[in-house]
Amino acid sequence: MPSIITHAAVPLALWCAADRGRIPPRLLRAGVIAAMLPDADVLAFALHIPYADAFGHRGASHSLLFACVLAMVAALLHSFGRGRPWSAISCQPRLASTVQAAAFVFVCAASHPLLDALTSGGLGVALAWPWSEHRFFAPWRPIRVSPFAPQFFSARGLATLLSELRWVWLPLAGAVIAWKLIHPAPAAPRDLS
């Protein structure tokens, strides 16, 4: 897996690329949590669940179904957490906003197993769980797999961080800069008084 810190790169890049205010801080926090949450399955080691088990590390919590469930939870929280009742007038904008929030959380959560599939180690990710327990790897795996906590502050941990900088952070920063150059922020309305 990339380090837990690097899983936050995708939501942060999307936030930076979006127009100011398009992704509110609360939704950004939800995206960062969704991007990191699949690694909560490391608790399986403490519960003596084998790594290769469907509920082991990189199993069910690294599936696209898990990302869909997180997106639905985000949609429900977004929809009911706004404090306004449904009405015919507000239905369309709220529905669009709810769908956008769910899509953002889905992309953030799905980015986790996709990044993990690009790593140089482990057993792969169970993207298609529960329909298949096959563990997938990307055909190209440039990101060094992160050591677990005890070895993270070692030469191997530093090599992992440098690998993540090269293959995740810098390309995402470049993509954000390119996006901003191609799609500049809309000009603020001028005061004509």
Side-chain angles (χ1 to χ4, degrees):
M1 69 180 165
S3 66
I4 196 75
I5 300 161
T6 292
H7 283 299
V10 171
L12 291 171
L14 292 171
W15 178 76
C16 288
D19 291 337
R20 181 165 290 186
R22 178 82 180 213
I23 299 173
R26 194 168 132 187
L27 183 56
L28 174 61
R29 282 191 300 274
V32 168
I33 290 168
M36 294 177 171
L37 191 59
D39 274 343
D41 67 3
V42 296
L43 295 173
F45 293 126
L47 299 172
H48 304 290
I49 297 172
Y51 189 156
D53 190 83
F55 294 99
H57 184 51
R58 289 187 173 184
S61 68
H62 285 62
S63 68
L64 294 178
L65 177 65
F66 185 76
C68 285
V69 168
L70 289 180
M72 287 188 287
V73 169
L76 287 170
L77 292 174
H78 182 77
S79 179
F80 295 113
R82 308 256 321 209
R84 288 185 256 148
W86 284 92
S87 69
I89 296 169
S90 68
C91 184
Q92 287 294 72
R94 280 193 67 197
L95 180 59
S97 166
T98 300
V99 169
Q100 288 172 346
F104 177 74
V105 169
F106 174 80
V107 168
C108 294
S111 73
H112 185 112
L114 296 177
L115 282 173
D116 279 1
L118 290 168
T119 61
S120 62
L123 298 180
V125 292
L127 279 175
W129 182 88
W131 300 280
S132 169
E133 289 191 24
H134 177 76
R135 300 287 184 108
F136 294 90
F137 269 119
W140 180 57
R141 302 181 342 203
I143 304 170
R144 290 189 60 136
V145 71
S146 178
F148 287 109
Q151 298 113 2
F152 189 75
F153 297 103
S154 66
R156 184 174 165 216
L158 179 61
T160 297
L161 290 175
L162 292 173
S163 171
E164 292 172 358
L165 179 66
R166 178 180 182 191
W167 296 109
V168 181
W169 289 97
L170 291 176
L172 284 174
V176 168
I177 291 167
W179 178 260
K180 289 295 196 176
L181 290 173
I182 295 169
H183 295 81
R190 294 186 305 179
D191 186 14
L192 300 174
S193 46

